[in-house]
Structures are given as C-alpha cells and as structure tokens.
Amino acid sequence: MTDPVISIEGIAKRYGAKGHPASGGASTTIFENLWLKVNRGEFVCVIGHSGCGKTTILNILAGLDRPSEGVVLVEGRELAGPGLDRAVIFQGHALLPWRTVLGNVAYAVSSRWRRAPKAEVEERARRAIAAVGLAGAEHKRPAELSGGMKQRVGIARALAIEPKMLLMDEPFSALDALTRGTLQEEARRICRDTGQTVYMITHDVDEAIYLADRIVLMTNGPGARIAEIVINPLAADRSRSGLHHDPAYYSLRNHLMDFLVARSSAFREAPPDGYDPRHPPIVTLHHSQSGALRAMT
Ligand SMILES: Nc1ncnc2c1ncn2[C@@H]1O[C@H](COP(=O)(O)OP(=O)(O)OP(=O)(O)O)[C@@H](O)[C@H]1O
C-alpha cells in the first residue's frame, strides 16, 4: 500500500519568462513535467548531472521556491511555503555560532513546540543529540566542532522537530571519506528506526546505492525529465562495508553509471518509445538465466 507524503504533480521551472525585457524574450526551461510520489518511510535519492535542477526541486519541496507550472502536495494538501513539517539539511550546516550544540537544537525544538516547557524542549534536544552520537558535546559551540560534528548537529536539529519529510542536499559531500561513511551509516540507521521519509540529492552513486530504497535518475538539462526510477534490489539490512560482496551491487552500480555516462544526455534527442512523464519507467534488476542481474522496466 502506498501512502505518499509528497506528491510532485507535473512541475516545471522556467527562468526569463517570454516577453520579459530582462530575458531578451527567451525562456529557459530547467526541467519540465516532473511527476513523483515519495511514500511514507521511504528513502529516495536523486541523481543527475549538474544543472538539471535537483536543488531547485528540493527548494520547491522545502517551500523556498515555486514551480512555474504544476503543484506539490504534502499529505494531499497543496504546499504553500516553508513549514516545520519539512526539515532541510544542506551541505553547509548553518548553525547559530553563538549557541551551543544544545542551544542550536533546542532553538529548533522550541520553534516547533512553542508552548513546550523548557525541560521538555531540553529533553527532546538531548535525545536528538544522543541519536547522532554527540552526547557529551552539548555545551560546545560550533567553532569547537569538526565538520562531521557540525553536520551531526544539523541532522540532530532536523530530526528533533520530527518532520514528516527530511530534505537533504548533498549533506555529506564536504566531509572526509571516513566521516562521510560513518554519517551515512548513522543517517540510515536513524531514518530506518524512526520511519523517516527522506528526499536526498547526491552525486555519489555508492551513497545512493547504500542509502536509497529508490533512486530517481534525472536527464541532463535544460528541459530535464525524470528518466527512470530504479528500485534498489539490495537487502534492507545491508551493511555499507559489505556492499561490494553482493553481486547485485555491481549490476546496480553499472546501471547507474551507464545512465550518467551516456543515457542521461541521449534521452533528450531520443526519449525511449512510449515514455510517459507521468509514469516514468520503474527499473528493477532481475536475475537472468546466466545468474547475472539485468535491468528490466
Ligand atoms: N535565479 C535563476 N535564474 C536563472 N537561472 C537559474 C536561477 N537559479 C538557478 N538557475 C539555473 O537553474 C539550473 C538548475 O540549478 P540547480 O541548482 O537546481 O541544479 P542542480 O541539478 O542542483 O545542480 P548541481 O548538481 O550543480 O547542484 C542551473 O542551470 C542554474 O543556472
């Protein structure tokens, strides 16, 4: 049974409206006619080349930008702007430098539950801080934290408000490989434990393979589309360190790399026969007779 938290319905983004003097009469379509549902408790990763509009879509979902066409529904209601039902984690952490770790997270908690007593706010904040492994660092200020710790605070702050939807824009890309791996594991564990719904942009194919239930592949812009949605065939209890022992990992990785290297640009000249933007192809990887996994739509 599907239960969409977010329903993207035919959205497009255009800049420089036709006839607008600043645009010289030209209009650029960044993406168009995108349709996607994100179901409750699902982890969706979006992959596509730079400029196809991934951040613009995330900003639209956050209510920070508006589509030129189409609508976005949150639990069936048209999205009208930013709201505490959607938390955003960016690559930069945007912590308040004068507040401690506890102060930063508590600030978000008290915006969400304005009448909550101080003790409850602190309790919720401490729980979120502990969940990201920062217990003991509550009284440190951002300047005293490493990049990985700051990003943990960003995650704690987002999770503490118990959002319906977590929106992440390359949250781990600025971190060193070791910290990135640890935080990916923690993010996956926390999201699974709490049934968090996530929409995440990444350029890292392995990150998408480890984290996502479904991987949305976008074609190159301008005029980007959702080319296909790939179902992750790996076991739900996969471990990051064991991925490369699973033959399905290589099939999935090859499929995603083939898309990024060739199909993402070829799509514009020749969309596949019968392509319907409202129902982009769903790709599953099946065992062929030889035992190898093959992509099937
Ligand atoms: N205010 C604006 N006016 C005109 N064009 C814009 C504006 N904002 C964004 N764009 C264009 O929209 C396109 C999509 O930008 P966006 O940041 O959403 O892409 P992206 O897929 O997230 O890229 P990246 O992977 O590099 O972050 C880019 O070509 C960008 O130049």
Side-chain angles (χ1 to χ4, degrees):
M1 253 267 301
T2 55
D3 179 13
V5 175
I6 292 267
S7 186
I8 295 175
E9 309 205 338
I11 63 169
K13 186 70 180 178
R14 301 184 212 286
Y15 286 108
K18 277 202 172 81
H20 190 282
S23 69
S27 146
T28 305
T29 299
I30 307 300
F31 53 79
E32 69 182 328
N33 212 2
L34 303 187
W35 294 78
L36 178 72
K37 286 188 192 328
V38 181
N39 297 319
R40 195 171 306 283
E42 188 178 34
F43 203 125
V44 168
C45 280
V46 181
I47 291 185
H49 283 287
S50 188
C52 69
K54 302 178 297 295
T55 296
T56 306
I57 298 166
L58 187 132
N59 285 339
I60 290 172
L61 296 180
L64 302 170
D65 199 349
R66 284 171 175 275
S68 312
E69 280 164 30
V71 290
V72 174
L73 307 180
V74 180
E75 293 188 329
R77 289 187 178 193
E78 191 168 337
L79 190 153
L84 289 166
D85 55 348
R86 283 151 288 136
V88 188
I89 302 176
F90 295 107
Q91 200 184 103
H93 338 90
L95 302 178
L96 301 172
W98 60 90
R99 283 185 182 255
T100 61
V101 167
L102 185 63
N104 266 281
V105 180
Y107 182 72
V109 173
S110 54
S111 328
R112 165 78 166 79
W113 291 282
R114 290 186 183 278
R115 288 168 194 218
K118 193 163 176 269
E120 185 194 325
V121 169
E122 196 170 311
E123 165 59 19
R124 284 181 182 275
R126 283 184 186 278
R127 236 185 298 145
I129 291 165
V132 299
L134 280 184
E138 288 87 348
H139 298 293
K140 288 192 189 301
R141 286 178 207 281
E144 300 172 78
L145 305 176
S146 68
M149 290 168 91
K150 284 183 204 160
Q151 197 56 307
R152 281 170 204 254
V153 181
I155 296 172
R157 184 178 52 185
L159 291 170
I161 62 169
E162 297 180 5
K164 286 179 186 153
M165 181 94 186
L166 195 55
L167 303 167
M168 299 204 270
D169 193 348
E170 300 190 59
F172 311 128
S173 59
L175 304 173
D176 65 273
L178 209 61
T179 310
R180 181 161 64 233
T182 310
L183 274 185
Q184 286 167 350
E185 282 168 358
E186 285 178 8
R188 180 163 163 79
R189 174 183 55 77
I190 294 169
C191 291
R192 276 171 60 79
D193 288 355
T194 57
Q196 183 65 58
T197 310
V198 186
Y199 177 97
M200 172 169 156
I201 297 170
T202 178
H203 276 110
D204 179 343
V205 164
D206 285 326
E207 179 168 271
I209 294 175
Y210 175 56
L211 292 174
D213 300 312
R214 289 192 298 158
I215 302 165
V216 175
L217 300 182
M218 290 193 62
T219 69
N220 292 1
R225 306 286 197 130
I226 293 177
E228 56 187 55
I229 298 171
V230 183
I231 312 278
N232 192 333
L234 302 184
D237 63 351
R238 57 189 173 264
S239 75
R240 203 175 56 85
S241 56
L243 282 186
H244 61 288
H245 294 299
D246 189 334
Y249 161 75
Y250 295 97
S251 307
L252 177 57
R253 194 170 201 289
N254 286 342
H255 183 80
L256 300 178
M257 292 307 294
D258 283 345
F259 176 80
L260 288 174
V261 171
R263 288 184 294 127
S264 58
S265 56
F267 188 99
R268 194 161 18 154
E269 282 78 51
D273 283 349
Y275 174 75
D276 174 3
R278 203 168 171 147
H279 302 285
I282 308 289
V283 174
T284 48
L285 294 160
H286 287 280
H287 284 279
S288 67
Q289 282 178 338
S290 68
L293 281 160
R294 264 188 333 117
M296 290 178 65
T297 49

mmCIF file with all atom_site columns, all heavy atoms in Angstrom, residues 119-138:
data_model
loop_
_atom_site.group_PDB
_atom_site.id
_atom_site.type_symbol
_atom_site.label_atom_id
_atom_site.label_alt_id
_atom_site.label_comp_id
_atom_site.label_asym_id
_atom_site.label_entity_id
_atom_site.label_seq_id
_atom_site.pdbx_PDB_ins_code
_atom_site.Cartn_x
_atom_site.Cartn_y
_atom_site.Cartn_z
_atom_site.occupancy
_atom_site.B_iso_or_equiv
_atom_site.pdbx_formal_charge
_atom_site.auth_seq_id
_atom_site.auth_comp_id
_atom_site.auth_asym_id
_atom_site.auth_atom_id
_atom_site.pdbx_PDB_model_num
ATOM 1   N N   . ALA A 1 119 ? 11.970 22.170 30.179 1.00 0.00 ? 119 ALA A N   1
ATOM 2   C CA  . ALA A 1 119 ? 12.516 20.833 30.453 1.00 0.00 ? 119 ALA A CA  1
ATOM 3   C C   . ALA A 1 119 ? 12.199 19.874 29.301 1.00 0.00 ? 119 ALA A C   1
ATOM 4   O O   . ALA A 1 119 ? 13.039 19.053 28.920 1.00 0.00 ? 119 ALA A O   1
ATOM 5   C CB  . ALA A 1 119 ? 11.942 20.290 31.758 1.00 0.00 ? 119 ALA A CB  1
ATOM 6   N N   . GLU A 1 120 ? 11.017 20.001 28.715 1.00 0.00 ? 120 GLU A N   1
ATOM 7   C CA  . GLU A 1 120 ? 10.655 19.099 27.608 1.00 0.00 ? 120 GLU A CA  1
ATOM 8   C C   . GLU A 1 120 ? 11.483 19.430 26.362 1.00 0.00 ? 120 GLU A C   1
ATOM 9   O O   . GLU A 1 120 ? 11.953 18.533 25.654 1.00 0.00 ? 120 GLU A O   1
ATOM 10  C CB  . GLU A 1 120 ? 9.158  19.233 27.296 1.00 0.00 ? 120 GLU A CB  1
ATOM 11  C CG  . GLU A 1 120 ? 8.717  18.230 26.240 1.00 0.00 ? 120 GLU A CG  1
ATOM 12  C CD  . GLU A 1 120 ? 7.347  18.538 25.663 1.00 0.00 ? 120 GLU A CD  1
ATOM 13  O OE1 . GLU A 1 120 ? 6.468  19.024 26.410 1.00 0.00 ? 120 GLU A OE1 1
ATOM 14  O OE2 . GLU A 1 120 ? 7.170  18.284 24.445 1.00 0.00 ? 120 GLU A OE2 1
ATOM 15  N N   . VAL A 1 121 ? 11.654 20.738 26.125 1.00 0.00 ? 121 VAL A N   1
ATOM 16  C CA  . VAL A 1 121 ? 12.459 21.164 24.967 1.00 0.00 ? 121 VAL A CA  1
ATOM 17  C C   . VAL A 1 121 ? 13.864 20.585 25.097 1.00 0.00 ? 121 VAL A C   1
ATOM 18  O O   . VAL A 1 121 ? 14.418 19.996 24.162 1.00 0.00 ? 121 VAL A O   1
ATOM 19  C CB  . VAL A 1 121 ? 12.516 22.715 24.890 1.00 0.00 ? 121 VAL A CB  1
ATOM 20  C CG1 . VAL A 1 121 ? 13.553 23.161 23.867 1.00 0.00 ? 121 VAL A CG1 1
ATOM 21  C CG2 . VAL A 1 121 ? 11.144 23.276 24.546 1.00 0.00 ? 121 VAL A CG2 1
ATOM 22  N N   . GLU A 1 122 ? 14.428 20.703 26.299 1.00 0.00 ? 122 GLU A N   1
ATOM 23  C CA  . GLU A 1 122 ? 15.792 20.242 26.512 1.00 0.00 ? 122 GLU A CA  1
ATOM 24  C C   . GLU A 1 122 ? 15.876 18.718 26.369 1.00 0.00 ? 122 GLU A C   1
ATOM 25  O O   . GLU A 1 122 ? 16.803 18.188 25.770 1.00 0.00 ? 122 GLU A O   1
ATOM 26  C CB  . GLU A 1 122 ? 16.265 20.690 27.892 1.00 0.00 ? 122 GLU A CB  1
ATOM 27  C CG  . GLU A 1 122 ? 17.755 20.582 28.000 1.00 0.00 ? 122 GLU A CG  1
ATOM 28  C CD  . GLU A 1 122 ? 18.305 21.237 29.251 1.00 0.00 ? 122 GLU A CD  1
ATOM 29  O OE1 . GLU A 1 122 ? 17.945 22.390 29.537 1.00 0.00 ? 122 GLU A OE1 1
ATOM 30  O OE2 . GLU A 1 122 ? 19.091 20.558 29.936 1.00 0.00 ? 122 GLU A OE2 1
ATOM 31  N N   . GLU A 1 123 ? 14.878 18.042 26.875 1.00 0.00 ? 123 GLU A N   1
ATOM 32  C CA  . GLU A 1 123 ? 14.849 16.582 26.801 1.00 0.00 ? 123 GLU A CA  1
ATOM 33  C C   . GLU A 1 123 ? 14.808 16.113 25.336 1.00 0.00 ? 123 GLU A C   1
ATOM 34  O O   . GLU A 1 123 ? 15.556 15.232 24.924 1.00 0.00 ? 123 GLU A O   1
ATOM 35  C CB  . GLU A 1 123 ? 13.621 16.073 27.596 1.00 0.00 ? 123 GLU A CB  1
ATOM 36  C CG  . GLU A 1 123 ? 13.184 14.637 27.366 1.00 0.00 ? 123 GLU A CG  1
ATOM 37  C CD  . GLU A 1 123 ? 14.275 13.637 27.702 1.00 0.00 ? 123 GLU A CD  1
ATOM 38  O OE1 . GLU A 1 123 ? 15.206 14.005 28.432 1.00 0.00 ? 123 GLU A OE1 1
ATOM 39  O OE2 . GLU A 1 123 ? 14.202 12.491 27.190 1.00 0.00 ? 123 GLU A OE2 1
ATOM 40  N N   . ARG A 1 124 ? 13.946 16.748 24.543 1.00 0.00 ? 124 ARG A N   1
ATOM 41  C CA  . ARG A 1 124 ? 13.867 16.387 23.119 1.00 0.00 ? 124 ARG A CA  1
ATOM 42  C C   . ARG A 1 124 ? 15.193 16.675 22.422 1.00 0.00 ? 124 ARG A C   1
ATOM 43  O O   . ARG A 1 124 ? 15.676 15.877 21.615 1.00 0.00 ? 124 ARG A O   1
ATOM 44  C CB  . ARG A 1 124 ? 12.764 17.196 22.420 1.00 0.00 ? 124 ARG A CB  1
ATOM 45  C CG  . ARG A 1 124 ? 11.362 16.722 22.706 1.00 0.00 ? 124 ARG A CG  1
ATOM 46  C CD  . ARG A 1 124 ? 10.361 17.582 21.938 1.00 0.00 ? 124 ARG A CD  1
ATOM 47  N NE  . ARG A 1 124 ? 8.995  17.197 22.213 1.00 0.00 ? 124 ARG A NE  1
ATOM 48  C CZ  . ARG A 1 124 ? 8.342  16.227 21.578 1.00 0.00 ? 124 ARG A CZ  1
ATOM 49  N NH1 . ARG A 1 124 ? 8.941  15.558 20.604 1.00 0.00 ? 124 ARG A NH1 1
ATOM 50  N NH2 . ARG A 1 124 ? 7.104  15.927 21.887 1.00 0.00 ? 124 ARG A NH2 1
ATOM 51  N N   . ALA A 1 125 ? 15.785 17.833 22.736 1.00 0.00 ? 125 ALA A N   1
ATOM 52  C CA  . ALA A 1 125 ? 17.051 18.212 22.102 1.00 0.00 ? 125 ALA A CA  1
ATOM 53  C C   . ALA A 1 125 ? 18.155 17.228 22.491 1.00 0.00 ? 125 ALA A C   1
ATOM 54  O O   . ALA A 1 125 ? 18.915 16.757 21.638 1.00 0.00 ? 125 ALA A O   1
ATOM 55  C CB  . ALA A 1 125 ? 17.431 19.635 22.506 1.00 0.00 ? 125 ALA A CB  1
ATOM 56  N N   . ARG A 1 126 ? 18.220 16.869 23.772 1.00 0.00 ? 126 ARG A N   1
ATOM 57  C CA  . ARG A 1 126 ? 19.259 15.934 24.230 1.00 0.00 ? 126 ARG A CA  1
ATOM 58  C C   . ARG A 1 126 ? 19.105 14.566 23.562 1.00 0.00 ? 126 ARG A C   1
ATOM 59  O O   . ARG A 1 126 ? 20.087 13.912 23.207 1.00 0.00 ? 126 ARG A O   1
ATOM 60  C CB  . ARG A 1 126 ? 19.200 15.772 25.752 1.00 0.00 ? 126 ARG A CB  1
ATOM 61  C CG  . ARG A 1 126 ? 19.806 16.928 26.491 1.00 0.00 ? 126 ARG A CG  1
ATOM 62  C CD  . ARG A 1 126 ? 19.819 16.687 27.987 1.00 0.00 ? 126 ARG A CD  1
ATOM 63  N NE  . ARG A 1 126 ? 20.288 17.866 28.688 1.00 0.00 ? 126 ARG A NE  1
ATOM 64  C CZ  . ARG A 1 126 ? 21.567 18.189 28.852 1.00 0.00 ? 126 ARG A CZ  1
ATOM 65  N NH1 . ARG A 1 126 ? 22.513 17.403 28.379 1.00 0.00 ? 126 ARG A NH1 1
ATOM 66  N NH2 . ARG A 1 126 ? 21.909 19.286 29.491 1.00 0.00 ? 126 ARG A NH2 1
ATOM 67  N N   . ARG A 1 127 ? 17.838 14.136 23.384 1.00 0.00 ? 127 ARG A N   1
ATOM 68  C CA  . ARG A 1 127 ? 17.602 12.836 22.752 1.00 0.00 ? 127 ARG A CA  1
ATOM 69  C C   . ARG A 1 127 ? 18.117 12.840 21.305 1.00 0.00 ? 127 ARG A C   1
ATOM 70  O O   . ARG A 1 127 ? 18.764 11.902 20.857 1.00 0.00 ? 127 ARG A O   1
ATOM 71  C CB  . ARG A 1 127 ? 16.096 12.518 22.772 1.00 0.00 ? 127 ARG A CB  1
ATOM 72  C CG  . ARG A 1 127 ? 15.803 11.183 23.457 1.00 0.00 ? 127 ARG A CG  1
ATOM 73  C CD  . ARG A 1 127 ? 14.356 10.819 23.369 1.00 0.00 ? 127 ARG A CD  1
ATOM 74  N NE  . ARG A 1 127 ? 13.516 11.795 24.030 1.00 0.00 ? 127 ARG A NE  1
ATOM 75  C CZ  . ARG A 1 127 ? 12.299 12.147 23.611 1.00 0.00 ? 127 ARG A CZ  1
ATOM 76  N NH1 . ARG A 1 127 ? 11.797 11.656 22.508 1.00 0.00 ? 127 ARG A NH1 1
ATOM 77  N NH2 . ARG A 1 127 ? 11.576 13.013 24.286 1.00 0.00 ? 127 ARG A NH2 1
ATOM 78  N N   . ALA A 1 128 ? 17.830 13.921 20.586 1.00 0.00 ? 128 ALA A N   1
ATOM 79  C CA  . ALA A 1 128 ? 18.275 14.013 19.187 1.00 0.00 ? 128 ALA A CA  1
ATOM 80  C C   . ALA A 1 128 ? 19.801 14.083 19.113 1.00 0.00 ? 128 ALA A C   1
ATOM 81  O O   . ALA A 1 128 ? 20.420 13.473 18.231 1.00 0.00 ? 128 ALA A O   1
ATOM 82  C CB  . ALA A 1 128 ? 17.651 15.239 18.521 1.00 0.00 ? 128 ALA A CB  1
ATOM 83  N N   . ILE A 1 129 ? 20.403 14.802 20.057 1.00 0.00 ? 129 ILE A N   1
ATOM 84  C CA  . ILE A 1 129 ? 21.870 14.931 20.071 1.00 0.00 ? 129 ILE A CA  1
ATOM 85  C C   . ILE A 1 129 ? 22.503 13.559 20.349 1.00 0.00 ? 129 ILE A C   1
ATOM 86  O O   . ILE A 1 129 ? 23.489 13.167 19.709 1.00 0.00 ? 129 ILE A O   1
ATOM 87  C CB  . ILE A 1 129 ? 22.294 15.985 21.130 1.00 0.00 ? 129 ILE A CB  1
ATOM 88  C CG1 . ILE A 1 129 ? 21.868 17.380 20.661 1.00 0.00 ? 129 ILE A CG1 1
ATOM 89  C CG2 . ILE A 1 129 ? 23.791 15.926 21.395 1.00 0.00 ? 129 ILE A CG2 1
ATOM 90  C CD1 . ILE A 1 129 ? 21.903 18.454 21.731 1.00 0.00 ? 129 ILE A CD1 1
ATOM 91  N N   . ALA A 1 130 ? 21.903 12.820 21.270 1.00 0.00 ? 130 ALA A N   1
ATOM 92  C CA  . ALA A 1 130 ? 22.430 11.481 21.569 1.00 0.00 ? 130 ALA A CA  1
ATOM 93  C C   . ALA A 1 130 ? 22.274 10.562 20.359 1.00 0.00 ? 130 ALA A C   1
ATOM 94  O O   . ALA A 1 130 ? 23.158 9.747  20.061 1.00 0.00 ? 130 ALA A O   1
ATOM 95  C CB  . ALA A 1 130 ? 21.702 10.903 22.781 1.00 0.00 ? 130 ALA A CB  1
ATOM 96  N N   . ALA A 1 131 ? 21.168 10.701 19.632 1.00 0.00 ? 131 ALA A N   1
ATOM 97  C CA  . ALA A 1 131 ? 20.908 9.818  18.477 1.00 0.00 ? 131 ALA A CA  1
ATOM 98  C C   . ALA A 1 131 ? 21.974 9.965  17.399 1.00 0.00 ? 131 ALA A C   1
ATOM 99  O O   . ALA A 1 131 ? 22.249 9.030  16.660 1.00 0.00 ? 131 ALA A O   1
ATOM 100 C CB  . ALA A 1 131 ? 19.525 10.109 17.890 1.00 0.00 ? 131 ALA A CB  1
ATOM 101 N N   . VAL A 1 132 ? 22.584 11.153 17.294 1.00 0.00 ? 132 VAL A N   1
ATOM 102 C CA  . VAL A 1 132 ? 23.634 11.336 16.281 1.00 0.00 ? 132 VAL A CA  1
ATOM 103 C C   . VAL A 1 132 ? 25.033 11.178 16.877 1.00 0.00 ? 132 VAL A C   1
ATOM 104 O O   . VAL A 1 132 ? 26.027 11.548 16.260 1.00 0.00 ? 132 VAL A O   1
ATOM 105 C CB  . VAL A 1 132 ? 23.515 12.713 15.563 1.00 0.00 ? 132 VAL A CB  1
ATOM 106 C CG1 . VAL A 1 132 ? 22.194 12.832 14.828 1.00 0.00 ? 132 VAL A CG1 1
ATOM 107 C CG2 . VAL A 1 132 ? 23.700 13.861 16.537 1.00 0.00 ? 132 VAL A CG2 1
ATOM 108 N N   . GLY A 1 133 ? 25.082 10.643 18.098 1.00 0.00 ? 133 GLY A N   1
ATOM 109 C CA  . GLY A 1 133 ? 26.378 10.313 18.698 1.00 0.00 ? 133 GLY A CA  1
ATOM 110 C C   . GLY A 1 133 ? 27.126 11.508 19.272 1.00 0.00 ? 133 GLY A C   1
ATOM 111 O O   . GLY A 1 133 ? 28.346 11.485 19.352 1.00 0.00 ? 133 GLY A O   1
ATOM 112 N N   . LEU A 1 134 ? 26.399 12.545 19.662 1.00 0.00 ? 134 LEU A N   1
ATOM 113 C CA  . LEU A 1 134 ? 27.089 13.732 20.191 1.00 0.00 ? 134 LEU A CA  1
ATOM 114 C C   . LEU A 1 134 ? 26.856 13.949 21.684 1.00 0.00 ? 134 LEU A C   1
ATOM 115 O O   . LEU A 1 134 ? 27.146 15.041 22.199 1.00 0.00 ? 134 LEU A O   1
ATOM 116 C CB  . LEU A 1 134 ? 26.631 14.982 19.421 1.00 0.00 ? 134 LEU A CB  1
ATOM 117 C CG  . LEU A 1 134 ? 27.288 15.210 18.061 1.00 0.00 ? 134 LEU A CG  1
ATOM 118 C CD1 . LEU A 1 134 ? 26.808 16.532 17.461 1.00 0.00 ? 134 LEU A CD1 1
ATOM 119 C CD2 . LEU A 1 134 ? 28.809 15.226 18.155 1.00 0.00 ? 134 LEU A CD2 1
ATOM 120 N N   . ALA A 1 135 ? 26.345 12.924 22.377 1.00 0.00 ? 135 ALA A N   1
ATOM 121 C CA  . ALA A 1 135 ? 26.164 13.074 23.828 1.00 0.00 ? 135 ALA A CA  1
ATOM 122 C C   . ALA A 1 135 ? 27.512 13.429 24.437 1.00 0.00 ? 135 ALA A C   1
ATOM 123 O O   . ALA A 1 135 ? 28.543 12.839 24.074 1.00 0.00 ? 135 ALA A O   1
ATOM 124 C CB  . ALA A 1 135 ? 25.618 11.783 24.426 1.00 0.00 ? 135 ALA A CB  1
ATOM 125 N N   . GLY A 1 136 ? 27.525 14.398 25.307 1.00 0.00 ? 136 GLY A N   1
ATOM 126 C CA  . GLY A 1 136 ? 28.783 14.841 25.915 1.00 0.00 ? 136 GLY A CA  1
ATOM 127 C C   . GLY A 1 136 ? 29.278 16.127 25.281 1.00 0.00 ? 136 GLY A C   1
ATOM 128 O O   . GLY A 1 136 ? 30.116 16.822 25.849 1.00 0.00 ? 136 GLY A O   1
ATOM 129 N N   . ALA A 1 137 ? 28.779 16.449 24.067 1.00 0.00 ? 137 ALA A N   1
ATOM 130 C CA  . ALA A 1 137 ? 29.243 17.670 23.381 1.00 0.00 ? 137 ALA A CA  1
ATOM 131 C C   . ALA A 1 137 ? 28.174 18.767 23.428 1.00 0.00 ? 137 ALA A C   1
ATOM 132 O O   . ALA A 1 137 ? 28.283 19.769 22.714 1.00 0.00 ? 137 ALA A O   1
ATOM 133 C CB  . ALA A 1 137 ? 29.589 17.344 21.934 1.00 0.00 ? 137 ALA A CB  1
ATOM 134 N N   . GLU A 1 138 ? 27.176 18.588 24.284 1.00 0.00 ? 138 GLU A N   1
ATOM 135 C CA  . GLU A 1 138 ? 26.029 19.516 24.300 1.00 0.00 ? 138 GLU A CA  1
ATOM 136 C C   . GLU A 1 138 ? 26.437 20.970 24.510 1.00 0.00 ? 138 GLU A C   1
ATOM 137 O O   . GLU A 1 138 ? 25.771 21.881 24.024 1.00 0.00 ? 138 GLU A O   1
ATOM 138 C CB  . GLU A 1 138 ? 25.029 19.138 25.408 1.00 0.00 ? 138 GLU A CB  1
ATOM 139 C CG  . GLU A 1 138 ? 24.228 17.886 25.162 1.00 0.00 ? 138 GLU A CG  1
ATOM 140 C CD  . GLU A 1 138 ? 24.933 16.624 25.627 1.00 0.00 ? 138 GLU A CD  1
ATOM 141 O OE1 . GLU A 1 138 ? 26.151 16.694 25.943 1.00 0.00 ? 138 GLU A OE1 1
ATOM 142 O OE2 . GLU A 1 138 ? 24.298 15.569 25.664 1.00 0.00 ? 138 GLU A OE2 1
#
